[in-house]
Amino acid sequence: MPVTNPDDVMAMAMDTRIDGDHEPPPDGGYGWVCVAACFIINCFTWGIVSSYGVYLSYYLRYDSFSGASPLDFAFIGGSIFGAAMLVAPLVTFLAREFGTRAPMFAGVVALAGGFIAASFASEAWHLYLCQGVLVGVGVGFIYIPSIAILSQWFSKKRSLANGITSAGSGVGGIIFSLITGSMIENISLAWSLRITGIIAFVMTFIAVVLIRDRNKVIQPAQHPFDTKLLSQKKVWLLLAWAFISMLGYITLLYSLPDFALSIGLSRPQATDAITILNLGTAVGRPFIGYLSDRYGRIKVPAFLTLICGMSCFAIWLPATSFGVTILFALISGAILGVFWVTIGPLCVEVAGLQQLPSLLSLSWLTIVLPTFFSEAIALKLRRPGSGREYLYPQMFTGIAYIAASAFLFELHRRHQKKRSRL
């Protein structure tokens, strides 16, 4: 198939520019097994994490842990993402020293152990350490080594492969949003956490066994914190987009179930809302990958980030019924996580394949603060008891996405300008 997207030409040029003796990515073969493994990883790491909104809604509505405030529960959810991203330099170092699978197996144990330990929690700080930090560390140790692997196997189909695997978080979100609420209601909160931990252990263990890198061929730099990259303006534009868009992403992901309750919907309807959001994620992310490969790996994420922000004002803000909330959940679900689909290919576009692990490590560190604090900010912006409890969090989310898109549009402009000089 001829390459019609100019970004493909540049991507392949970067791939072959690494070293004349290195073979280019095979665009298939065992790479598709790695796609399946990464799909499972996304399903049983981020898919499970995305169902924290169900736990958050339960914690906010029931006094399960005496003395705990809504901010405590918001920080627990934020600490999952924060811890997962904060360990990125350590994971990158361990992967370089001991191979890709060693830190991933450690992550499998930490992820399962975090959920099971949380089932015995009696105070909020127990949840901080277990359902928050330990689960987050487990997710980071499993996910971070995996994200660079797909770009080693694919060139022309790089974004599509990332889109397919990223859809795993949507599938996992659907599964765990449905069963978590049911388990809490019919069994108990404790056994919901234990069962989740056991399932996560089995499935992620299988995925780690299946995954395989091409580090011997690519010989990536794998610097945990390469400050030389920070001398490039295009890197700063990418990191600014990542930072600001995450402010909106976490707020929307975690707030939607409780927003549904705040407008008078029932708990099953609130669960349906987060389930539909994850359905949108499962269906939308492969298309994001396909569109990025075909129409531009910088331009498409920029437009989708803008559209997500605009949909917050056009659909979410006026939503007062179940139907409109579901419509917004479906649309936003398809595009709110554009960062997770495109960050790998974007890093290759900006820095090249050899620098991919290093720039990814910087990207993970960049989003630590927004992922940790954004839901706490959203809960502070809430107006409990008013007619529009989530008005300010809705506006905050929309503004974050729109502002973030501006940085990616500027990166696209610079990318086009550089290409025109070639």
Side-chain angles (χ1 to χ4, degrees):
M1 179 183 294
V3 179
T4 57
N5 175 19
D7 284 352
D8 286 340
V9 177
M10 295 193 71
M12 287 188 290
M14 278 189 269
D15 291 341
T16 55
R17 195 168 65 224
I18 294 168
D19 189 318
D21 296 329
H22 292 165
E23 60 184 78
D27 258 327
Y30 197 83
W32 291 115
V33 177
C34 293
V35 167
C38 290
F39 181 93
I40 294 171
I41 286 171
N42 276 282
C43 185
F44 294 95
T45 55
W46 296 122
I48 292 176
V49 170
S50 68
S51 70
Y52 180 74
V54 179
Y55 288 106
L56 178 61
S57 178
Y58 178 86
Y59 294 149
L60 291 175
R61 300 292 164 173
Y62 299 95
D63 188 18
S64 303
F65 299 89
S66 60
S69 69
L71 281 180
D72 288 320
F73 298 125
F75 278 127
I76 290 167
S79 65
I80 299 174
F81 280 89
M85 300 299 101
L86 194 59
V87 299
L90 174 61
V91 174
T92 303
F93 169 78
L94 292 174
R96 183 183 68 193
E97 295 297 317
F98 302 105
T100 301
R101 286 197 180 105
M104 296 182 78
F105 279 124
V108 170
V109 175
L111 176 63
F115 278 110
I116 293 171
S119 70
F120 298 99
S122 58
E123 296 183 34
W125 70 268
H126 298 162
L127 289 181
Y128 267 106
L129 292 179
C130 301
Q131 193 174 7
V133 175
L134 190 54
V135 167
V137 168
V139 170
F141 268 66
I142 300 169
Y143 173 77
I144 288 168
S146 75
I147 193 66
I149 289 175
L150 290 181
S151 293
Q152 297 179 352
W153 287 95
F154 294 91
S155 178
K156 289 186 292 182
K157 301 174 184 176
R158 181 172 292 145
S159 293
L160 176 61
N162 278 273
I164 293 171
T165 59
S166 293
S169 65
V171 174
I174 294 171
I175 295 169
F176 285 95
S177 294
L178 290 172
I179 69 172
T180 297
S182 179
M183 286 191 297
I184 292 174
E185 183 177 348
N186 297 307
I187 307 174
S188 68
L189 172 65
W191 272 106
S192 172
L193 291 164
R194 289 167 196 156
I195 292 170
T196 299
I198 293 168
I199 294 172
F201 179 87
V202 172
M203 297 308 297
T204 54
F205 184 89
I206 293 171
V208 174
V209 170
L210 291 174
I211 208 161
R212 183 190 301 170
D213 62 50
R214 299 180 71 240
N215 287 344
K216 291 183 179 179
V217 177
I218 303 297
Q219 296 180 2
Q222 290 185 292
H223 296 305
F225 192 81
D226 192 347
T227 55
K228 293 180 181 178
L229 290 170
L230 296 176
S231 65
Q232 304 177 43
K233 290 182 179 179
K234 58 185 179 180
V235 169
W236 281 103
L237 290 170
L238 178 66
L239 298 181
W241 166 73
F243 183 97
I244 299 172
S245 66
M246 279 296 107
L247 291 171
Y249 172 78
I250 297 295
T251 301
L252 175 51
L253 182 67
Y254 283 166
S255 296
L256 191 61
D258 197 57
F259 162 78
L261 295 176
S262 75
I263 61 172
L265 301 184
S266 66
R267 185 165 298 280
Q269 287 177 319
T271 300
D272 288 343
I274 196 68
T275 301
I276 294 298
L277 183 142
N278 283 294
L279 175 63
T281 298
V283 174
R285 288 190 177 182
F287 283 103
I288 292 175
Y290 170 78
L291 292 173
S292 297
D293 280 336
R294 184 165 180 82
Y295 297 109
R297 291 170 181 161
I298 302 175
K299 180 169 62 177
V300 169
F303 273 109
L304 291 177
T305 303
L306 176 62
I307 291 170
C308 191
M310 293 173 64
S311 70
C312 290
F313 288 102
I315 306 175
W316 193 20
L317 205 60
T320 57
S321 65
F322 179 65
V324 178
T325 302
I326 289 298
L327 174 64
F328 173 73
L330 183 62
I331 294 173
S332 64
I335 57 178
L336 89 162
V338 62
F339 169 87
W340 304 104
V341 186
T342 60
I343 186 60
L346 276 170
C347 286
V348 176
E349 295 292 319
V350 169
L353 195 55
Q354 274 193 317
Q355 290 294 335
L356 174 60
S358 301
L359 185 50
L360 280 173
S361 186
L362 286 176
S363 301
W364 307 142
L365 287 177
T366 298
I367 65 174
V368 168
L369 290 179
T371 54
F372 186 79
F373 287 104
S374 54
E375 182 58 15
I377 294 171
L379 291 183
K380 272 294 185 182
L381 291 174
R382 277 193 320 164
R383 302 183 302 166
S386 68
R388 301 287 300 277
E389 183 175 339
Y390 273 87
L391 174 63
Y392 293 148
Q394 289 169 311
M395 295 175 63
F396 174 74
T397 302
I399 291 170
Y401 272 109
I402 292 172
S405 70
F407 290 95
L408 216 50
F409 278 119
E410 174 60 17
L411 178 61
H412 174 64
R413 187 190 69 81
R414 289 172 177 266
H415 193 72
Q416 291 292 96
K417 185 177 180 180
K418 179 181 177 180
R419 194 185 71 199
S420 67
R421 293 200 297 261
L422 294 178

